[in-house]
Amino acid sequence: MELVLALGIGVFTASGVWLILRPRTFQLVLGLCLMSYAVNLFIYAMGRLRVDAPPLVGSEAVADAAIYTDPLPQALVLTAIVISFAMTALLLVVLIAARGLTGTDHVDGEDEE
Amino acid sequence: MNGWAGHLIVVPILLPLIASAIMLLLDERQRRAKNAISLVTHVALLGVAVTLMVQTVQLGFSGNSATRVYLIGDWAAPYGIVLVADWLSSLMLLLASILGLASFIYAVARWDRAGPRFQVLHLLQMMGLNGAFLTGDLFNLFVFFEILLAASYGLMLHGSGTKRVTIGMHYVAINVATSLLFLIGVGLIYGIAGTLNMADLATIILGTRGTELTLLQSGFAVLGLAFLIKAGMWPVGFWLPKTYAAAVPPAAALFSILSKVGIYALLRVYLLLFTSEVGWPANFGGEWLLYGGIATLIYGTLGVLAARTLSRVAGYCVIISSGTLLGTIGASDGAVLGGALFYLVSSTLGIGAFYLLLELVERRETESSVRTIVEPVFEDEYTGARPEENADEVRIVIPATIAILGGGFMFCALLLSGLPPLSGFIAKFAIIHGLLNLEPTIAPAIGLLVALMIISGMATLVATTRAGIDLLWTPSDRPPPPLRLAEAVPVGLLLLVCLGLMVFAGPTMRYMERTGVSLQDRQGYINAVLGADRRTTEPRTALP
């Protein structure tokens, strides 16, 4: 499972980096999205991968930390997801405004001939 | 620290949040109400910042620890969220609130009408800044960075137009990517240390060894890269001058503290966490900062000489200021902090005033193009040029407007280039004096840094003088545009503070030196944060 996750994060990051180096604005947005997925998975993985381990202590509270997974990275990821979601929305608005003002979807606002 | 006074630390974050939330309920046409709310909030923020600083000074000079901790929700330190007000935080809070007030008053004159919700974004930016200066853990630092960035995207795009939107898009994209780097760094650090509270981290990393240490250091390196992109260090700072030049002047003035947030974060993390006790290389990152600072200074000096517009000159002044600070921090491992902090305050205020002023100066050239966006909102308001009968008089005597603008411009130029007798000179002198006294023999890199600091000052002087002759001495057919009180007051306020820094250089320098000492006192910070008393002492009872 670790291998799959690591490969997934790697592929997301690599594709994201390639995309944000492209000249079109939509590619830029997609690239940043993919990179933020990779980063979210990465933070999640930093809490170590556990299967069948709840992050919250139930009502029959047993004071045994070993059966619970670390809840903090999950909370961090939630915050990070919300923030990157908002930023992507904003970037899309700016992208459309730039498209309308410059008439091209090149990131510099002008197409090189 | 009992009763309501204990909650003072959280006010700089809550107050702008509440005020901006209230303003969202108001219609765009209720400008006067919005401005009134905004003004009251800014003045209150300034008052709180001054109070916090006075408390710091009183506590600090009476021998106690000046580091005050506020536990949000009254959770004990490493588990809950902490806000920390110490010497450095109080200083940065005061700096931010002075700059915020000045740029807000300036915007009231006309720029807030260039687009919707200027006041709301402006206050949210203040909230993000204050939060970043107060927070005691890395993840909340990220959150407050995002708040101030989100607001700065809005301010950057304020006024719209093709140029602002295209450059704004670059700015947003670069900062979103930077935030991802920030998160990777934070994730790595959490994965190894299991905590993000800075005081807790400082104790936990003492025990890391081997591969864990390598991973932790990689985490800090990635985090540091994110801070350096914000601060505008050479290979990662190309976005800065053109972004700041495209923003509207009041936003650009407020942005001049944005790059200093990167420096603040660097100072905080670097001095608290990187220590030779752990068996880390004593200067982990120090050489990067030193050589990066030198490269940044070279880039800024060349840029300031090559810049063709004043707003570009100001942008490269930001770069020079960052380079000087990074180089000084890197060269001395924090030993010359007093001078560096003095320089930070003086250059931030100087650049802020310069951004506000240069628009007034350049307005003569671009008046016709700017006027299209300014429409009178109130009946008694007159935005056109002064009546023609003044025109003859203008050619005979120096008009008062030009005299004021010219005087302010000269003041800024002297301040930025670091010539005596203004505070820029005192700051640079303190830095250079400190750097030269570090060791009996001067290392070549430090010699280069000092030389570049002096050369960059000269380059700034050349660039501003050239622009000043072009803009202020060239006779113009048109009478100078009227200077409004609301535009002259904030520039005057900022320059007055700089003048105050010069007149009261002694006490100010003592404060800065003391701040430097407190930053070196790692154990003091750790004890204050981890040993903070909870407000309630009775144990929490479990829910039924």
Side-chain angles (χ1 to χ4, degrees), chain A residues 25 28 32 35-36 39 42-43 46 48 70 72-73 76 79-80 83 87 90-91 94-95 97-98 101-102 106-109, chain B residues 139 142-143 146 150 153 157 160-162 165-166 168-170 172-173 176-177 180 183-184 186-188 190-192 196:
Chain A
T25 48
L28 173 74
L32 286 172
M35 275 165 73
S36 77
V39 169
F42 178 78
I43 300 177
M46 280 298 119
R48 307 295 185 271
D70 190 347
L72 199 68
L76 300 187
T79 317
I83 290 175
M87 293 305 156
L90 179 84
L91 198 56
V94 178
L95 179 159
L101 285 168
T102 61
H106 194 277
V107 283
D108 289 334
Chain B
F139 196 75
F142 166 74
V143 173
E146 285 304 312
Y153 301 154
L157 295 167
S160 196
T162 313
V165 170
T166 353
M169 184 167 66
H170 297 177
V172 178
V176 170
L180 295 177
L183 279 176
I184 293 175
V186 165
L188 265 174
Y190 183 80
I192 301 303
L196 288 173

Side-chain angles (χ1 to χ4, degrees), chain A residues 49-75:
Chain A
L49 289 177
R50 293 278 303 273
V51 178
D52 278 348
L56 295 172
V57 181
S59 54
E60 71 291 354
V62 196
D64 180 12
I67 65 168
Y68 298 106
T69 185
D70 190 347
L72 199 68
Q74 307 192 2

Side-chain angles (χ1 to χ4, degrees), chain A residues 1-26:
Chain A
M1 194 167 69
E2 279 83 355
L3 186 67
V4 175
L5 188 73
L7 280 176
I9 294 174
V11 169
F12 270 139
T13 314
S15 324
V17 170
W18 187 75
L19 277 172
I20 64 167
L21 297 176
R22 305 293 302 156
R24 303 286 153 200
T25 48
F26 189 64

Side-chain angles (χ1 to χ4, degrees), chain B residues 155-354:
Chain B
L155 289 178
M156 169 71 220
L157 295 167
H158 184 77
S160 196
T162 313
K163 193 175 163 217
R164 280 193 197 118
V165 170
T166 353
I167 291 181
M169 184 167 66
H170 297 177
Y171 177 65
V172 178
I174 289 168
N175 277 299
V176 170
T178 310
S179 302
L180 295 177
L181 281 179
F182 197 138
L183 279 176
I184 293 175
V186 165
L188 265 174
I189 294 168
Y190 183 80
I192 301 303
T195 180
L196 288 173
N197 182 296
M198 287 194 244
D200 204 21
L201 261 180
T203 48
I204 283 179
I205 58 172
L206 295 178
T208 44
R209 293 282 180 276
T211 49
E212 291 210 327
L213 184 61
T214 318
L215 274 174
L216 195 65
Q217 289 182 337
S218 321
F220 279 119
V222 176
L223 192 67
L225 185 60
F227 294 154
L228 290 175
I229 293 176
K230 305 270 196 261
M233 197 172 88
W234 167 61
V236 288
F238 297 122
W239 59 273
L240 199 147
K242 99 183 154 177
T243 307
Y244 285 20
V248 297
L254 192 59
F255 284 3
S256 71
I257 199 172
L258 234 56
S259 62
K260 301 296 182 291
V261 181
I263 306 260
Y264 164 83
L266 206 68
L267 265 181
R268 181 65 88 198
V269 171
Y270 180 74
L271 292 179
L272 183 66
L273 300 182
F274 298 176
T275 151
S276 46
E277 292 168 39
V278 224
W280 291 29
N283 52 354
F284 176 73
E287 286 180 352
W288 282 94
L289 290 183
L290 174 59
Y291 291 112
I294 289 175
T296 314
L297 267 175
I298 296 174
Y299 170 59
T301 308
L302 294 178
V304 93
L305 286 175
R308 300 202 150 268
T309 59
L310 263 184
S311 44
R312 283 295 181 101
V313 170
Y316 285 105
C317 284
V318 177
I319 298 265
I320 289 177
S321 152
S322 282
T324 308
L325 285 168
L326 291 173
T328 311
I329 297 168
S332 59
D333 246 348
V336 195
L337 272 178
L341 289 168
F342 198 105
Y343 180 78
L344 189 154
V345 173
S346 152
S347 72
T348 309
L349 291 173
I351 292 168
F354 195 54

